[in-house]
């Protein structure tokens, strides 16, 4: 970026708008931070961090380094998985004194497969104000770039580390029609993939989103039958944080649509579009008009 371009960005009206918005005191701000690329921080998040009296975070060293990159020097308190209840009381005391408290995780959105949920719950139970400051989310980033066409997704997060528990949980997910979203650590990715291959049909699509927004970002989609071979093909594919997406189960309507498409294509090899649609409707029970429109699409693509 040139100096001129940087200057133009700094002068954009929206830069001033963020500073002029309302940031109430006595409020817990749940602030999403970048998952890799530091420039993914939002303008609103920067202003909240600037105004916060204290930042509650998983790891004070990691958050301290991040704040330094933004030119901020803030008091921090550790709020990790093992001390959430204790820290929640300290935060509530600060909020009742009129302070602004920013809650962040090491990366991404707090309280989503990360510490913070118990803190938010305790603050709400105390009748105090909680404000989300949305931003980076590994799950949403992976879904947006996956190409899996489904209006629904089911966020699972991290699977159990023990094989039997992992297999049991996957068994409960086999019939879920929504896209399944998993988080996985690099040292467990092979175990995770082996369990997915054993649990689901080999034709289901799987997406590996590795090191999202970072230098070595990689997003790969393939059938589950090819998943293990893909991971094993490069040792680097067992490094970095993963989001793994698995195509949802087919519903009866989906299976009927697949069969209707198969029948329609066979008939189109011998019949006119009108005849193929009419016969396919009789064979499959699907609506003739919809099959006719689909037949036109198929012939038009040839």
């Amino acid at each position: 970026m040139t100096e001129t371009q940087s200057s133009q960005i700094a002068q954009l009206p929206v830069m001033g708008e963020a500073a002029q918005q309302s940031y109430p005191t006595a409020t817990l701000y749940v602030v999403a931070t970048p998952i890799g690329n530091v420039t993914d921080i939002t303008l609103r998040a920067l202003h909240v961090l600037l105004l916060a009296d204290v930042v509650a975070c998983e790891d004070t060293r990691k958050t301290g380094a991040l704040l330094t990159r933004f030119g901020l020097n803030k008091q921090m308190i550790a709020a990790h998985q093992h001390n959430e209840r204790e820290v929640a009381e300290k935060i509530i005391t600060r909020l009742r004194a009129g302070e602004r408290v920013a809650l962040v995780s090491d990366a991404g959105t707090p309280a989503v497969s990360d510490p913070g949920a118990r803190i938010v719950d305790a603050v709400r139970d105390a009748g105090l104000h909680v404000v989300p400051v949305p931003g980076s989310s590994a799950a949403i980033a992976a879904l947006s770039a996956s190409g899996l066409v489904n209006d629904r997704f089911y966020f699972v997060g991290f699977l159990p580390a023990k094989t039997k528990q992992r297999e049991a949980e996957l068994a409960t997910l086999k019939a879920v029609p929504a896209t399944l979203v998993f988080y996985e650590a690099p040292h467990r990715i092979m175990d995770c993939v082996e369990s997915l291959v054993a649990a689901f049909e080999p034709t289901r699509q799987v997406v590996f989103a590795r090191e999202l927004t970072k230098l070595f970002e990689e997003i790969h989609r393939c059938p589950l039958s090819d998943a293990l071979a893909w991971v094993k093909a490069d040792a680097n594919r067992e490094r970095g944080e993963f989001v793994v997406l698995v195509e949802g189960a087919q519903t009866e309507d989906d299976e009927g649509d697949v069969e209707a498409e198969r029948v329609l294509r066979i008939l189109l090899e011998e019949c006119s579009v009108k005849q193929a649609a009419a016969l396919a409707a009789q064979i499959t029970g699907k609506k003739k008009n919809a099959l006719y429109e689909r037949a036109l699409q198929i012939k038009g693509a040839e």
Side-chain angles (χ1 to χ4, degrees), residues 157-184:
F158 289 95
L159 287 166
K162 294 184 178 179
T163 303
K164 287 187 177 180
Q165 293 176 354
R166 186 166 60 245
E167 291 174 349
E169 182 162 347
L170 289 173
T172 69
L173 301 172
K174 189 169 183 178
V176 175
T179 298
L180 303 174
V181 183
F182 304 94
Y183 283 169
E184 196 51 88

Side-chain angles (χ1 to χ4, degrees), residues 48 57 59 67 101 118 123 138-139 144 160 198-199 221 251 263 279-280:
V48 168
C57 55
D59 187 324
L67 293 175
V101 178
R118 288 188 176 87
V123 169
S144 71
R221 189 172 86 177
T251 63
V263 170
L279 288 171

Side-chain angles (χ1 to χ4, degrees), residues 50-86:
L50 176 66
L51 294 171
D53 296 286
V54 65
V55 177
C57 55
E58 280 186 83
D59 187 324
T60 56
R61 291 168 300 178
K62 289 183 179 179
T63 298
L66 180 67
L67 293 175
T68 297
R69 296 186 72 178
F70 300 137
L72 300 174
N73 182 18
K74 288 288 173 177
Q75 180 185 357
M76 292 176 286
I77 53 175
H80 46 74
Q81 184 178 0
H82 304 293
N83 72 346
E84 281 185 286
R85 295 188 186 282
E86 175 188 344

Side-chain angles (χ1 to χ4, degrees), residues 46 86 94 130 160 227 272:
L46 282 175
E86 175 188 344
R94 284 177 173 270
V130 178
S272 68

